[in-house]
């Protein structure tokens, strides 16, 4: 590159990898993932994207070689290389200390790659194991699907399946998408069994985005029904509270006679009835008394004058 070998150190073109912007500083963390020895592929992918965006990837992949020490461009390279060593900020302290004294960013990157890069077979096994052991659990669907997508991306990088441009490309792409739908449905909780059955009954299977849309709609429908139950309970509690406030005697209960409206301290059955107390009969007792009177009246024999005359004449003849 003409920019990388230019002897003019006073002005560096913005497109040059030696250019350092105002937002670049040695303490910045360019990726949110701090590598702790696990998940090197994900961390590596994030680092490559970030370094590419800042036009600094050549310092770690070896495409930008250091110029001679006596070259006018060496100071620009050394400054940019020291800035790229900010990748140490994205490592845990233990790992960062182990590569701190390596001379340049390329050596640090190469050491991390050799130390933590797994063979294709081992990495494929671990990725597949994560995929088939993943389940939704307590996560909502969006969180669960994000975890799935991350594993799928790692698996795609490991497998490195080339793009197909033949006539069967669409069928191959549909096959892989159907596999992802099945994997997603297998990890869903049993509470989604209805929508899961609806998706599996479709022929052909819908696209992955359409299947996700159905599940999200089901999840939103549940969130809509929950507040109505809460509101009904709140209303019932409010009505009970208003009723007790408007008529406080209803909340009193006598532990002796088991009646409401008073307590044991004021129970007349214990302290005696006042002289002005009016005893009343319940309607139930009045109805029972009336029924008994009617029955007793209907069962009593009725004696007529004719019957009395017949009885009197029979007694006279006997005499």
């Amino acid at each position: 590159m003409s920019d990388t070998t230019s002897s003019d150190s006073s002005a560096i073109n913005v497109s040059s990898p030696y250019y350092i912007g105002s937002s670049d500083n040695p303490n910045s963390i360019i990726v949110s993932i701090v590598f702790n020895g696990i998940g090197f592929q994900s961390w590596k992918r994030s680092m490559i994207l970030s370094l590419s965006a800042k036009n600094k990837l050549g310092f770690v992949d070896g495409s930008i070689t250091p110029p001679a020490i006596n070259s006018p461009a060496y100071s620009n390279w050394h400054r940019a290389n020291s800035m790229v060593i900010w990748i140490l900020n994205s490592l845990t302290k233990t790992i960062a200390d182990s590569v701190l004294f390596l001379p340049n960013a390329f050596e640090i990157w190469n050491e991390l790659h050799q130390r933590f890069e797994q063979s294709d077979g081992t990495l494929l096994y671990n990725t597949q194991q994560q995929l088939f052991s993943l389940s939704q659990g307590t996560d909502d669907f969006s969180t669960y699907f994000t975890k799935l997508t991350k594993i799928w991306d790692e698996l795609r990088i490991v497998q490195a399946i080339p793009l197909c441009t033949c006539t069967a490309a669409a069928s191959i792409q549909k096959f892989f998408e159907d596999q992802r739908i099945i994997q997603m449905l297998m990890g869903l909780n049993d509470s989604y069994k209805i929508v899961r059955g609806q998706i599996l009954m479709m022929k052909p299977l819908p696209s992955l985005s359409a299947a996700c849309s159905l599940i999200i709609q089901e999840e939103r429908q549940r969130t809509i029904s929950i507040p109505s139950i809460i509101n009904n309970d709140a209303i019932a509690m409010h009505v009970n509270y208003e009723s007790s406030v408007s008529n406080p005697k209803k909340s009193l209960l006598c532990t002796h006679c088991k009646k409401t409206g008073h307590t044991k301290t004021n129970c007349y059955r214990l302290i005696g009835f006042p002289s002005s107390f009016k005893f009343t009969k319940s309607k139930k007792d009045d109805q029972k008394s009336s029924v008994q009177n009617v029955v007793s009246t209907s069962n009593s024999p009725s004696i007529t004058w004719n019957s009395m005359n017949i009885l009197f004449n029979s007694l006279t003849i006997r005499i």
Side-chain angles (χ1 to χ4, degrees), residues 239-269:
V239 170
N240 293 334
Y241 173 76
E242 291 293 336
S243 176
S244 62
V245 171
S246 61
N247 192 355
K249 287 187 176 182
K250 288 186 176 181
S251 61
L252 300 177
L253 176 65
C254 179
T255 58
H256 177 69
C257 65
K258 308 301 180 183
K259 293 185 177 181
T260 59
H262 64 276
T263 61
K264 182 178 179 180
T265 306
N266 300 322
C267 184
Y268 288 162
R269 297 182 181 275

Side-chain angles (χ1 to χ4, degrees), residues 9 18 67-69 71-80:
S9 59
Y18 291 169
I69 297 178
S71 171
Y74 181 80
S75 60
N76 291 334
W77 175 89
H78 182 70
R79 184 178 63 166

Side-chain angles (χ1 to χ4, degrees), residues 78-134:
H78 182 70
R79 184 178 63 166
N81 176 76
S82 299
M83 186 64 65
V84 176
I85 295 180
W86 60 31
I87 60 179
L88 297 176
N89 298 330
S90 300
L91 302 171
T92 58
K93 188 178 185 304
T94 303
I95 299 177
D97 290 343
S98 67
V99 295
L100 178 61
F101 294 99
L102 293 177
N104 52 56
F106 171 73
E107 294 291 339
I108 294 175
W109 185 263
N110 190 45
E111 175 65 22
L112 293 174
H113 192 275
Q114 291 181 359
R115 189 187 303 179
F116 297 104
E117 181 74 12
Q118 296 176 331
S119 63
D120 292 343
T122 304
L123 186 58
L124 180 61
Y125 175 84
N126 292 336
T127 307
Q128 291 279 10
Q129 188 180 45
Q130 292 178 20
L131 179 61
F132 289 104
S133 62
L134 181 64

Side-chain angles (χ1 to χ4, degrees), residues 10 51 61 64 81 112-113 145 153 158 165 173 247 268:
S10 60
L51 291 172
D61 64 8
I64 299 178
N81 176 76
L112 293 174
H113 192 275
F145 186 73
D153 291 339
V158 175
T165 57
Q173 181 64 26
N247 192 355
Y268 288 162

Side-chain angles (χ1 to χ4, degrees), residues 33 39 42 127 145-155:
I33 303 173
S42 299
T127 307
F145 186 73
T146 301
K147 293 180 180 179
L148 266 179
T149 304
K150 181 181 177 182
I151 298 177
W152 287 335
D153 291 339
E154 292 179 357
L155 192 60

